[in-house]
Amino acid sequence: MSARTFSGPIPLQGRVTVPGDKSISHRALMIASLGERPCTIRGLSNGDDVVRTRLAVEALGAQLEVAESGDVTVAGGLRGARDPIDLGNSGTGIRLLAGLLAGFDFNTTLDGDASIRQRPMDRIIAPLAEMGASITGSGGDGSLAPLTIEGRPLRGIEYTLPIASAQVKSAVLLAALRAKGPTTVNEPVPTRAHTEEMLAAAGVRLERGDCSVTVWPGDVDPPDIDVPGDPSQAAFWLVGACLAPASHLIVENIYLGPARGGFIEVLGRMGADISVDSETGDIRAKSSELGGTRVTADELPGCIDEVPILAVAAAAAEGDTVFEGVGELRVKETDRVAAVAEMLAVLGARCQIDGDTLVITGVGRAEALGGGTVDSRGDHRMAMAAAIAGVVGSGSMRVEGFAATKTSYPSFGDDLRLKEEQTQ
Ligand code: S3P
């Protein structure tokens, strides 16, 4: 098992670039694979999740060229794949592809790793079936991967999401491109808007309200795209800079669109010295003294992927931090409620779970965080959160299963080590 040990405290200084946004990268590949003209994607995420989506669209018939610079040019045209497609650890990959493929006239089987095979797929099967799709899942009630999709003509629907999920919204909107008539998705609270932003840029007719989006079927003509840096990866560095002594860090060129920057507001309320340059997308953070805050259930979807690292901030803060509505975290890459509780026990912070509410009582300052061993449980975000806890605390943190970082940020460990060396 891969393990790495991080010891602190290490000041985090200078500038950092992070991989291209993972959510945008998946969508860029999928939407490009529908286009009639070749389109170039610059700054694609190099994480394993996105590599899987790249291989998937290629297996399905898109032609890809990867330049030495890393730019990927995609010539669209999907014909179907004979063999099952393995999306690895990627929930976004499997759920969005299921929607994208439901209305074609070929059959596909989508599969993934052991974690994906346990994650709920009924949330996409239900609305897609309402559109006329045929998706057969596995497991007792057919709600798990592998998923077999038999291409069918689809009809437009109006669908109200029972949970706030950009993945479900996006699966339905991508299916809608090949449906008869328009499709409307209503959301309980706004979730990340990449699919609608990118479909609009590709000339698809759509209408957006505060909590709804309607897509009309039609061709897509995706433009070339520069993928900005991933705010969810920036969050690890920025929390690290807030907590480590004598730190002043700038993370460059980050996506600043809706429902992705919630963690910046949360950290601001906790007293962090953090600011955003809206022209460049650079985000700056300095060593700060943090106090507790309340993250409401409505606010949580805007920082859903940042809860593991915000939990590290909360562990170091003075007082209580409350996260409401954390139920969805139980069905991420691992059960993140349980994984965060385990990590907090190692850090010496108190954690109470009452239904879907998580309350963390901080130790008051980062140097007082405990060290020990944290198992990532194969979850990239747990591995990175625990590593940052090691870098900002005065103990030593062994992160088991650190290789999970390759899912979204393969160079994270090396980039951290570089910062350590720079400050020695
Ligand atoms: C994502 C949406 C979120 C997020 C995931 C990426 C996306 O999942 O947790 O990491 O790219 O649409 P849900 O929409 O299921 O909450």
Side-chain angles (χ1 to χ4, degrees), residues 22-23 27 92 123 164-167 192 304-305 332 381:
K22 182 158 80 68
S23 293
R27 288 159 172 84
T92 307
R123 54 182 59 196
S165 167
Q167 291 183 353
R192 65 192 71 195
I304 184 88
D305 290 340
K332 292 293 178 190
R381 300 200 199 281

Side-chain angles (χ1 to χ4, degrees), residues 8-23:
I10 297 163
L12 293 174
Q13 290 169 354
R15 304 180 80 87
V16 176
T17 57
V18 296
D21 187 79
K22 182 158 80 68
S23 293

